[in-house]
Every structure is written in C-alpha cells, then in structure tokens.
Amino acid sequence: ASMEGKVALVTGGALGIGRATAIAFARNGARVVVADVLDEDGEQAVATIREAGGDAVYVHADVSEASQIEAMVGRAIEAF
C-alpha cells in the first residue's frame, strides 16, 4: 500500500528490523524519521533512504526518557 503523504517515525531505526522498516516505509512513499541512540548508524540509514530517492531525517532519541521523546516528536513535526 502506498504511504504517500504519510510520515513514519521509526524508533530503533538505525539497525536491524528498525532500519529495514524505515527503508520499507520510504520505498512505499513515506517521509521517515529515524530515531535511535546509535547516531552514526542512524545517519547511515538516512543516507541509504536518501540515496534511493526517499526523504528522511535522523533524530537522536532514547525512548526511555520522556524529554527525548518530546524532542523527537517536535523534530518530526519541524521536519515534515
């Protein structure tokens, strides 16, 4: 199904299943926020999405911290 016009916020999006999920959402037309604490890997996931023509941003976020969740959502709103 097309995800054109949608924004996907993927926590744990730097590696593994999260990264694969972020890439799959982008392939289906979503703009993607990759959130993780693994900055270098997260930036690489975003680069992979952009190289394939997708739109994505990376946000450093530890989902065990409420203030970081708020910042993550704020960055998603700001970006998309």
Side-chain angles (χ1 to χ4, degrees):
S2 174
M3 295 190 71
E4 292 292 332
K6 305 284 185 187
V7 175
L9 197 160
V10 181
T11 59
L15 293 174
I17 293 170
R19 181 184 181 117
T21 300
I23 291 168
F25 282 149
R27 279 192 191 129
N28 285 294
R31 294 173 289 172
V32 181
V33 177
V34 174
D36 210 305
V37 295
L38 302 172
D39 298 335
E40 187 174 322
D41 294 318
E43 292 288 359
Q44 288 176 357
V46 167
T48 298
I49 290 167
R50 289 180 177 164
E51 287 165 10
D55 194 2
V57 296
Y58 174 72
V59 177
H60 178 96
D62 178 344
V63 297
S64 70
E65 298 289 333
S67 63
Q68 290 190 35
I69 294 170
E70 290 174 18
M72 173 184 67
V73 172
R75 177 71 177 110
I77 291 167
E78 177 185 295
F80 299 122

